[in-house]
Structures are given as C-alpha cells and as structure tokens.
C-alpha cells in the first residue's frame, strides 16, 4: 500500500510542478518520505544506463537519449537534470504504472557522483558511464579521489563500466574488473605536451603516487599518461576519437565514422564520443548513431545563442566551482576569430547550497583571453571584485568592472556590433537571458 500511495503522490506533485515549471525533485522527496526504498520496489526496464562524473553528464545523457529515440527506442530519462536520489525517484515514479512498472525500453539517468552509492543501493545499472573525475565543488565534494571512492563503493559486480581511457583517476575503476569498455581521443591540434591549468591534479599516479608522465593532454590532465613506477597507463580505447578537426567541427572515430560537433570544443568532442560509444555498445550501428548526433543541437541550456542589440551572442554555461568547465569555454572563445566582447558573471556561486567561497576562481586560466580579437572583458555580479582581483594578476588590460548585471548587459547592447560571449553558471544564466533575445 505504501508503494501505491508514494506513486500516486509523486504523480500528483509532478503534474502540479509541471504547471509551475518546477517539481523535478520535490515529488521524489515526498515519495521517499512515505516509502524510503521505493526505488527497490518498482520494476525498471531491463536496460539501465547511468552516466556520472565531474563534467559532461547532462550533455552526454541528452545526446544518448536523442540517438536512442531517433532509432525508435522508448527512453525514460531525466531531461530536467535532477540527478540526486529525489530526482531519480521523481523520474521513475512519474513514468510508472500504479503497479510500479516503469514503461520504457531504456532507463537512462544522469547521476550525481556523490549520490551514486545511495541510488545504486536500490537499482543496478546494466552499464555505468564515467565521463571524468576532476576538481569540482570542493566545498561539497572535497578532493576528486574522495568522489572516486564514492563511485567505487557503488559499483555492482554485474554492471558493465564504460570509462574514459584518457582520465588517469576514473580509469582506476576498472582495476580487478572484467566488464569494461573504454573511450578516448588521440592527440589532435589542441593537444599539449603536458597538463595545463593552474593546478596539476594529474602530477602523481592515483595508484602508487609516483610521478606521472604524459605523451600528450587534450585538456587539463586528460590525455595519454603512464606511470613509470607501477605501470598504470592509458588503456587502448574500444571507441576511439582518431582525429578531431575543431576548425571544421568534426570528430572522426577509429572506424572512420565522422560526427559533426555542434560546439567546436574538445570538451564537447569527448561528450559526443562518449554518447556515440554508449549507443554503439547498445547495438546501434555507428553510422546511424553519428548521423543523429551530427544533426542534434543541445537543448539543455549549456550553450544558448542570443541577440543583444546589433550583437550576435552566445551564452557558454560554465559550472561554478569547476575551473575545467571555465577553461574549456575560455579556450573556445580564444580560438574564435571574430572580434568579440566577453561578459563574465559570478553572482551566485551555487544554486544547490549557499557558499561564498571563491578560491576556485584562481584555478581558471583567464590569460587565455589575451587575444587580439577579444576587444573587451566585463566582470559583473556580486563577486565581480573577486574576479577583478584574479584579473589583476593576469597579463590582461582590457577588462573593466560593472557590478550590476543589467547595466553591464545594457552597456554592451548600446555600442558596437562585435560578437558577445557571456560566461556564467546555471544559477546566473537567467539574469542574462531575461535581457536578450534568445534564438
């Protein structure tokens, strides 16, 4: 009886939430209050694909869903992005019959890496995808190795792992396991000879703590690595990004399949390769998966084109408390060729919990914006002075501070016609989008 009551309450609250544009987690929270083990009491589809990691979860899940749906497969997935246990419960129960059967061919979920153990206690993924593990929300997550331990404790023996071969930390999840598939990207035009970024989490082997050596890195510490002491090294990928042409926006796989990238970023290239690998592993022909991915444009708001006066603009959502997310978006701006203005907004550090801790700003390589085509940089939001302090230690001189976001946006709109790049997080993006014309 508790199960039925929990399902009915969740459905009612989910319906009411959709009317108000909210309610991705609250219905699940209410259902858990009635039946704590509700996820273990319902019947899920035979195939359960879970995606976790520090970066790229939401975009990767959206692309996987697009391919599966494009092939006529009924997918139940958390497109709202609610990836903690309350959100997963809302997703499952809102698609369940009163008897508790979730109607679908595939249950596809984005999972918060800290909640993996709590979620997988009640459901067992047939496949767990780990995009990467890096510094992310240190106030909440502490060190990446702590996140690794959380995921490791959650993995069931019967679950097949799909891991980033280019990540020295998450690749350790394969130790002692036989059911593992790998994806990775070869050296390309944006690769460096050694890890980049203000810090170097890849300096030491996560297995033996010996010095790590690299043949190349594609971003930060993600690339081809090896430890001379214990032999921990990049495994050979089953699904390979053989070449990446960011100038023309293509990734070519090891089997010769070409995927058009909607965002010309190595970061997005990894997400697209991961989605392609998951779909191929699910039995979808590589060419068919690539065709759908090549036509898909992300709808999760991570990248949002807009118009501001005479300016053509693009919002690049950068996860706060995560310098890699910022660095990859700044690299995208730096590699563009058209004259542009860059607006960086930090008005709320997190939308999930309160913190005013901004030390992560010092891990961002703002000097990437030292390009001739970057004509002006405007720092805005509550923490603009923290940003300004960081910028005072760079070689950049074309920056200014405007604390008021509305005035900063209005000031850009009344002058010039350069491209505009706005860099901020989900907490702050609507403060920009409310003042521009979205595309």
């Amino acid at each position: 009886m508790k199960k039925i009551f929990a399902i009915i309450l969740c459905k009612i609250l989910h319906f009411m939430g959709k009317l108000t544009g909210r309610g991705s987690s609250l219905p699940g929270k209410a259902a858990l209050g009635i039946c704590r083990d509700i996820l273990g009491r319902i019947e899920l589809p035979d195939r359960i694909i879970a995606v976790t990691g520090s970066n790229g979860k939401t975009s990767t899940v959206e692309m996987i869903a697009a391919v599966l749906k494009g092939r006529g497969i009924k997918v139940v997935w958390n497109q709202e992005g609610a990836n903690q246990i309350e959100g997963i419960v809302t997703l499952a129960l809102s698609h369940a019959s009163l008897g508790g059967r979730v109607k679908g061919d595939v249950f596809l979920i984005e999972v918060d890496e800290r909640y993996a153990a709590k979620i997988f206690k009640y459901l067992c993924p047939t496949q767990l995808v780990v995009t990467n593990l890096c510094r992310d929300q240190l106030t909440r997550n502490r060190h990446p190795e702590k996140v690794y331990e959380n995921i490791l404790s959650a993995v069931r023996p019967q679950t097949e792992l799909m891991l980033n071969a280019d990540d020295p930390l998450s690749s350790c999840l394969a130790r002692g396991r036989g059911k593992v598939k790998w994806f990775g990207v070869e050296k390309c035009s944006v690769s460096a000879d050694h890890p980049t970024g203000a810090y170097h989490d890849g300096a030491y082997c996560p297995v033996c703590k010996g010095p790590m050596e690299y043949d190349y890195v594609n971003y930060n510490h993600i690339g081809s690595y090896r430890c001379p002491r214990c032999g921990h090294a990049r495994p050979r990928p089953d699904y390979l990004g053989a070449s990446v042409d960011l100038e023309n926006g293509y990734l070519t796989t090891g089997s010769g399949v070409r995927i058009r990238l909607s965002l010309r970023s190595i970061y997005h290239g990894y997400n697209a390769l991961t989605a392609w690998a998951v779909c191929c592993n699910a039995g979808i022909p590589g060419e068919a998966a690539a065709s759908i991915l090549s036509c898909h444009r992300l709808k999760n708001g991570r990248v949002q084109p807009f118009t501001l006066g005479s300016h053509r603009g693009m919002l690049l959502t950068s996860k706060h408390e995560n310098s890699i997310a910022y660095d990859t978006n700044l690299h995208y701006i730096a590699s563009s060729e058209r004259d542009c203005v860059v607006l960086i907004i930090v008005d709320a550090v997190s939308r999930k919990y309160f913190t005013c801790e901004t030390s992560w700003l010092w891990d961002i390589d703002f000097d990437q914006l030292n390009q001739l085509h970057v004509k002006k940089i405007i720092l805005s939001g509550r923490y603009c002075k923290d940003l300004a302090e960081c910028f005072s230690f760079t070689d950049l001189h074309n920056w200014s501070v405007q604390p008021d976001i509305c005035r900063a946006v209005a000031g850009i709109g009344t002058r010039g016609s350069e491209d505009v790049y706005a860099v901020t997080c989900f907490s702050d993006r609507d403060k920009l989008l409310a003042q521009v014309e979205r595309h």
Side-chain angles (χ1 to χ4, degrees):
M1 182 62 83
K2 284 199 303 183
K3 180 178 78 172
I4 296 176
F5 186 34
I7 292 173
I8 292 173
L9 178 61
C10 183
K11 286 180 176 292
I12 292 172
L13 292 177
H14 183 251
F15 174 76
M16 294 173 62
K18 288 176 69 176
L19 295 178
T20 60
R22 303 180 63 182
S24 58
S25 295
L26 180 60
K29 184 176 181 179
L32 287 168
I34 296 170
C35 185
R36 178 55 51 183
D37 60 346
I38 186 65
L39 271 180
R41 296 194 182 197
I42 60 177
E43 182 185 349
L44 293 169
D46 291 336
R47 183 180 287 274
I48 302 173
I49 301 173
V51 180
T52 193
S54 300
N55 293 320
K57 298 184 291 293
T58 304
S59 296
T60 300
V61 165
E62 181 184 321
M63 288 188 283
I64 294 170
V67 175
L68 296 179
K69 290 190 297 182
R71 296 291 291 178
I73 298 171
K74 186 174 181 181
V75 187
V76 176
W77 64 293
N78 50 348
Q79 53 189 303
E80 293 90 354
N83 57 16
Q84 299 178 3
I85 188 167
E86 296 85 359
I88 303 300
V89 170
T90 299
L91 172 71
L93 300 191
S94 62
H95 286 83
S97 65
L98 294 182
R101 180 175 176 271
V102 177
K103 296 163 279 189
D105 302 313
V106 177
F107 192 62
L108 170 64
I109 51 174
E110 171 189 339
V111 174
D112 185 301
E113 52 273 25
R114 288 180 68 249
Y115 283 79
K118 186 177 290 188
I119 294 168
F120 297 162
K121 178 181 178 180
Y122 300 109
L123 63 83
C124 180
T126 51
Q127 185 177 64
L128 173 62
V129 183
V130 184
T131 56
N132 50 63
L133 292 174
C134 58
R135 292 195 188 202
D136 176 46
Q137 298 179 307
L138 295 184
T139 304
R140 189 173 74 115
N141 292 336
R142 292 181 278 175
H143 196 272
E145 291 191 1
K146 179 62 178 176
V147 177
Y148 166 83
E149 291 170 1
N150 290 340
I151 297 174
L152 180 64
S153 68
V155 179
R156 303 273 196 95
Q158 59 268 50
T159 297
E160 179 184 55
L161 296 178
M162 178 163 284
L163 303 176
N164 188 344
D166 301 346
D167 180 6
L169 180 55
S170 62
S171 63
C172 292
L173 292 166
R175 294 173 64 82
R177 298 183 61 91
K179 299 175 67 175
V180 181
K181 293 291 178 64
W182 300 96
F183 60 90
V185 177
E186 294 287 76
K187 187 175 184 179
C188 61
S189 60
V190 298
S191 301
D193 295 330
H194 52 79
T196 58
Y199 60 84
H200 184 359
D201 276 341
Y204 298 99
C205 174
V207 177
C208 72
K209 309 306 178 186
M212 188 71 86
E213 295 180 355
Y214 288 83
D215 296 322
Y216 62 87
V217 294
N218 289 324
Y219 69 88
N220 202 269
H221 63 283
I222 304 298
S224 180
Y225 53 88
R226 62 181 182 278
C227 174
R229 181 186 293 179
C230 73
H232 178 53
R234 177 192 190 237
R236 183 172 182 174
D238 300 285
Y239 300 97
L240 179 68
S243 65
V244 181
D245 180 357
L246 294 183
E247 183 177 351
N248 294 300
Y250 286 104
L251 179 146
T252 304
T253 71
S255 57
V257 174
R258 178 181 281 190
I259 303 171
R260 183 187 294 274
L261 302 177
S262 58
L263 183 65
R264 299 180 183 187
S265 157
I266 187 65
Y267 188 64
H268 181 65
Y270 269 91
N271 293 339
L273 176 67
T274 307
W276 181 79
V278 171
C279 294
C280 289
N281 200 53
I284 295 174
E287 288 280 3
S291 176
I292 296 172
L293 287 173
S294 296
C295 297
H296 183 70
R297 296 294 177 267
L298 291 173
K299 301 177 179 64
N300 57 32
R302 293 303 200 260
V303 179
Q304 177 70 57
F306 63 84
T307 299
L308 175 59
S310 300
H311 301 272
R312 183 178 67 176
M314 179 178 290
L315 167 65
L316 299 173
T317 305
S318 296
K319 194 176 183 182
H320 280 180
E321 301 179 274
N322 187 306
S323 61
I324 291 180
Y326 262 83
D327 279 347
T328 53
N329 282 334
L330 296 182
H331 183 272
Y332 178 81
I333 297 170
S335 62
S336 66
E337 297 179 352
R338 292 166 57 92
D339 289 352
C340 65
V341 174
V342 179
L343 172 63
I344 302 176
I345 301 172
V346 182
D347 196 57
V349 174
S350 174
R351 60 178 176 161
K352 294 183 177 179
Y353 56 92
F354 175 76
T355 177
C356 57
E357 204 284 311
T358 58
S359 64
W360 52 275
L361 290 173
W362 293 90
D363 295 334
I364 301 171
D365 183 11
F366 290 112
D367 271 309
Q368 291 185 85
L369 296 178
N370 194 2
Q371 308 290 333
L372 291 175
H373 65 274
V374 178
K375 301 302 182 182
K376 186 188 306 181
I377 304 167
I378 301 168
L379 314 178
S380 189
R382 183 183 307 173
Y383 298 98
C384 61
K385 291 184 179 179
D386 298 73
L387 278 168
E389 187 69 14
C390 294
F391 269 73
S392 70
F393 283 84
T394 69
D395 292 328
L396 296 161
H397 302 288
N398 57 339
W399 57 273
S400 62
V401 176
Q402 172 48 264
D404 188 279
I405 298 172
C406 292
R407 290 183 179 180
V409 175
I412 295 171
T414 56
R415 293 187 296 271
S417 59
E418 310 97 330
D419 288 352
V420 175
Y421 291 101
V423 184
T424 191
C425 72
F426 265 103
S427 304
D428 297 336
R429 67 170 185 172
D430 288 340
K431 300 166 188 174
L432 166 80
L433 293 176
Q435 304 176 69
V436 299
E437 181 182 344
R438 304 189 198 189
H439 291 181

